Amino acid sequence: MTTLTVRPAPPGPPASGSDHRRPRRARPKRHTLTGGSGLGLGVAMIWFSLLVLIPLAAVVVTAAGGGVGTFVDALTNAQTLAALRLTVGAALVVTVLNMVMGTVIAWVLVRDRFWGKRVIDLVIDIPFALPTIVAGLVLLSLYGPGSPIGVQVNNTRWAVFLALAFVTLPFVVRTVQPVLEEIDTDAEDAAAALGADRFTTFRRVVLPALVPAIFSGAALSFARAISEYGAVVLLSGNLPGRTEVVSVRLFSSIEGGNTAAAAALATVMLLIALLAIVVLDLGQRWVARRG
Amino acid sequence: MSIEVRGVSKRFGDFVALDDVNVSLPTGQLTALLGPSGGGKSTLLRIIAGLDSADSGTVTIEGTDATHLPPQRRNVGFVFQHYAVFKHMTVAKNVAFGLEIRKRPKAEIKKRVDELLDLVHLGQFAHRLPSQLSGGQRQRMALARALAVEPSVLLLDEPFGALDAKVRKELREWLRRLHDEVPVTTVFVTHDQEEALEVADEIVVVNQGRIEQVGTPDQLYDEPANDFVMGFLGETTTLEGRMVRPHEIELSPVRTAHELDGVVVRLLRVGFEVRLTVLVDRTGEEVQVVTTRAHARALGLDVGDVVHLSPASVLV
């Protein structure tokens, strides 16, 4: 066994000019838009405003028009509160589940070779591509009354979880997959040669590289879960206080002519969505810092 | 012998990467695996490290049969062409990785990392991320990371292949000095004969999955076992059907015995040397000849001149 002792450094480091590069941080100067990019920014802002900002502002204004009272009423309503709790809770659970399962599925699709892999790769997108009401119908026929596999979950909270898990499945898979494909496997070999077992290598070398993708997939998944209507509405039975989700509650508020309450609830959902995006972004930074 | 490779073969589908390779790599030396791309040298290195497995044959490292050991248990250091850095870890964390896996005490890890970073002259970059380093610095970090676990052998796969020419030359001189300071058994893969000749104690020439010759740089250059080795280490040309080095052909203005007449058809001045293409009258072959600028001037050579050629070895 050759033992290695570190003695004083060998003479002279290789010191060429290019060998001492500063950290790259090219920060563009402010107010230096060229004509073309100015036009591009203008078009983007108009489009974004028309589609997103103005409608959102309109909802907030409608909600605010009723004064603080509308918010208090909307949020202290037991049925609304239950719907909010169920929706956000189920969305959280489903998102965490997706972060794990989505990563596993992406791993299998990228790293393993098996018969029918390309078919599965294609099928993954179906929950996303299906019209949501069709997704609901599919689930109802499988897990509803007269289920061919003997599993009947309609009109229970399981139905909500199941529907949300179904429609949000592709998000994490599809964000993690390309990152995993691009990862240089040399780093994993290097970790193995340094003595790390496969699990440690995954946890300390591969996972940190996937974290941004997992979290952005999670953000998409959560956003989709709190807004889902079509897939849930058929299977859950919409029992007030038990299986009614926010989007269904909102719809019935509008049907009942209570636009102000609907707008208040919509504003709350808007805040929750914003909060989720911020929290997931902070979470990703926190994980990245910890390594 | 530090590493013994016996009867190792490896196929990738129809492609034979290694064909019954036998080689012994001595302890404490710097050995180069030299050969053309796709010749099997990287595969051999990865098999020694356990990153690939051989179809048949055995690998013994420091007297232990390592054929079926996973890379984690072979105690080898491996350095990759494209650095294989852990991107999200600082330079110090990268170097500490192997020691942390071995659960060494924190204080010991810190001390050792500091020593190694000084050794590779990256002390002041300890808290940078690899993306903030140049290629040469990244490769030195990778070297420190591999050395941290006190490997019994250090394996480098085209370690300077991704660097620009200048840094590459500096780093290989530095590697030679580092090896003299830290004499761990080292094997490096290269396709650059100059690199191998300059750095290695011993060179193993690998071609088409076979070992062509093993020897010191001088042995390989002066006594090549076959035309392939001769052709791979340095320039060659053919004179009367024999392979010779262009600078070993004597040019003379006066005709003596053993000589061939020819006409200079091309003349290139490159730095201190002059490269000639001579069309030999008798055989009709075009021979490359290299001579010094001064000699060419003394002979007053120009295109169209008649010259007399003789291989230097015949004169001796």
Side-chain angles (χ1 to χ4, degrees):
Chain A
M1 192 81 137
T2 313
T3 31
L4 178 68
T5 44
V6 176
R7 269 175 267 163
S16 71
S18 66
D19 211 32
H20 287 278
R21 208 192 295 160
R22 291 275 162 81
R24 266 171 295 161
R25 200 169 294 163
R27 190 170 289 174
K29 285 179 204 155
R30 286 182 183 188
H31 309 301
T32 51
L33 286 174
T34 61
S37 54
L39 183 67
L41 184 64
V43 170
M45 276 318 289
I46 290 170
W47 190 242
F48 183 63
S49 303
L50 284 176
L51 279 176
V52 182
L53 292 183
I54 295 172
L56 280 184
V59 169
V60 176
V61 166
T62 311
V68 184
T70 330
F71 278 94
V72 175
D73 287 349
L75 289 177
T76 48
N77 180 302
Q79 196 183 336
T80 306
L81 264 182
L84 262 176
R85 264 204 304 272
L86 174 67
T87 308
V88 174
L92 278 176
V93 172
V94 163
T95 299
V96 171
L97 190 73
N98 278 333
M99 288 168 87
V100 178
M101 287 311 294
T103 308
V104 171
I105 294 170
W107 180 271
V108 168
L109 285 178
V110 173
R111 290 298 175 88
D112 294 340
R113 281 187 204 154
F114 53 89
W115 189 86
K117 175 170 143 173
R118 296 187 64 164
V119 176
I120 292 185
D121 199 17
L122 212 68
V123 167
I124 294 284
D125 280 332
I126 285 181
F128 176 67
L130 273 183
T132 56
I133 193 77
V134 179
L137 206 64
V138 168
L139 290 172
L140 189 66
S141 62
L142 195 59
Y143 301 112
S147 159
I149 54 171
V151 182
Q152 201 179 323
V153 296
N154 60 317
N155 303 347
T156 68
R157 288 193 164 180
W158 288 110
V160 177
F161 284 108
L162 201 64
L164 295 187
F166 181 83
V167 295
T168 59
L169 169 77
F171 291 107
V172 175
V173 178
R174 288 297 185 228
T175 51
V176 169
Q177 207 178 359
V179 179
L180 204 51
E181 271 161 2
E182 288 301 308
I183 276 187
D184 176 14
T185 52
D186 277 356
E188 288 158 59
D189 283 344
L194 288 167
D197 59 41
R198 291 187 67 172
F199 176 73
T200 310
T201 302
F202 180 77
R203 189 173 60 83
R204 294 204 50 191
V205 176
V206 182
L207 200 54
L210 300 182
V211 159
I214 294 174
F215 275 80
S216 60
L220 291 172
S221 162
F222 182 81
R224 174 70 187 263
I226 56 171
S227 60
E228 187 53 44
Y229 179 85
V232 180
V233 75
L234 289 183
L235 194 63
S236 74
N238 311 315
L239 307 172
R242 280 201 58 227
T243 64
E244 188 185 43
V245 294
V246 168
S247 52
V248 175
R249 175 84 184 125
L250 235 158
F251 186 68
S252 53
S253 289
I254 292 172
E255 269 193 327
N258 197 348
T259 321
L265 188 52
T267 307
V268 170
M269 290 311 284
L270 180 64
L271 290 176
I272 289 172
L274 275 176
L275 188 71
I277 291 169
V278 171
V279 165
L280 282 166
D281 187 57
L282 288 177
Q284 181 216 314
R285 281 160 201 266
W286 182 72
V287 174
R289 252 203 318 278
R290 279 185 76 230
Chain B
M1 288 293 166
S2 182
I3 303 170
E4 289 272 352
V5 175
R6 287 283 156 262
V8 163
S9 296
K10 174 78 179 172
R11 286 166 158 275
F12 295 105
D14 284 341
F15 177 71
V16 180
L18 293 172
D19 184 13
D20 191 24
V21 166
N22 293 286
V23 67
S24 302
L25 303 171
T27 305
Q29 288 210 348
L30 187 51
T31 307
L33 296 180
L34 174 67
S37 301
K41 52 199 190 316
S42 285
T43 307
L44 180 58
L45 199 74
R46 290 178 64 86
I47 286 175
I48 293 172
L51 298 173
D52 278 337
S53 58
D55 298 336
S56 60
T58 60
V59 175
T60 311
I61 299 174
E62 298 278 340
T64 314
D65 180 8
T67 314
H68 301 291
L69 284 183
Q72 288 89 344
R73 294 180 51 207
R74 294 195 184 198
N75 199 34
V76 297
F78 204 101
V79 173
F80 297 80
Q81 180 176 1
H82 297 287
Y83 328 123
V85 296
F86 304 143
K87 285 179 200 151
H88 56 284
M89 296 183 199
T90 61
V91 170
K93 274 282 182 190
N94 264 275
V95 176
F97 187 85
L99 298 168
E100 285 175 359
I101 295 293
R102 284 164 176 72
K103 304 219 184 322
R104 298 278 172 79
K106 277 228 167 81
E108 186 194 319
I109 293 178
K110 193 186 175 313
K111 183 162 165 285
R112 177 119 184 102
V113 168
D114 288 346
E115 280 173 358
L116 281 158
L117 287 179
D118 284 343
L119 183 77
V120 298
H121 306 285
L122 288 176
Q124 72 270 43
F125 300 113
H127 300 293
R128 293 231 181 134
L129 285 173
S131 58
Q132 297 168 326
L133 301 181
S134 70
Q137 289 169 334
R138 277 183 228 183
Q139 199 55 302
R140 297 206 310 263
M141 182 197 82
L143 201 59
R145 183 177 68 182
L147 287 171
V149 297
E150 301 189 4
S152 47
V153 292
L154 181 62
L155 308 171
L156 306 104
D157 189 3
E158 301 255 6
F160 314 129
L163 303 170
D164 62 61
K166 189 159 176 276
V167 179
R168 191 181 174 120
K169 202 160 160 49
E170 286 164 354
L171 258 191
R172 72 186 187 218
E173 284 162 15
W174 178 80
L175 175 72
R176 180 66 243 186
R177 290 198 299 269
L178 180 74
H179 183 262
D180 295 339
E181 294 287 329
V182 187
V184 57
T185 306
T186 305
V187 183
F188 77 102
V189 159
T190 180
H191 62 257
D192 179 348
Q193 44 102 7
E194 201 184 312
E195 193 167 288
L197 291 172
E198 200 177 301
V199 177
D201 297 314
E202 192 171 76
I203 299 175
V204 177
V205 182
V206 183
N207 180 39
Q208 295 188 331
R210 292 205 188 84
I211 295 202
E212 300 279 358
Q213 192 176 2
V214 181
T216 64
D218 282 351
Q219 280 171 348
L220 261 63
Y221 194 82
D222 295 334
E223 305 149 33
N226 52 40
D227 283 356
F228 176 81
V229 176
M230 174 143 184
F232 202 74
L233 284 107
E235 289 178 65
T236 58
T237 186
T238 34
L239 185 65
E240 293 187 285
R242 285 202 310 128
M243 229 179 184
V244 286
R245 301 228 183 266
H247 65 266
E248 286 177 345
I249 296 176
E250 295 277 334
L251 288 170
S252 55
V254 227
R255 197 168 194 287
T256 58
H258 308 300
E259 284 190 356
L260 292 168
D261 294 339
V263 180
V264 177
V265 291
R266 235 159 72 88
L267 189 145
L268 274 176
R269 293 186 183 83
V270 184
F272 65 91
E273 60 180 37
V274 177
R275 295 177 193 167
L276 304 165
T277 307
V278 179
L279 183 65
V280 176
D281 294 344
R282 208 180 67 206
T283 56
E285 57 187 4
E286 285 201 341
V287 182
Q288 309 298 320
V289 182
V290 173
T291 184
T292 62
R293 221 182 165 94
H295 189 57
R297 197 177 295 134
L299 295 176
L301 285 178
D302 212 336
V303 175
D305 288 356
V306 173
V307 288
H308 311 287
L309 308 176
S310 57
S313 48
V314 175
L315 288 182
V316 177

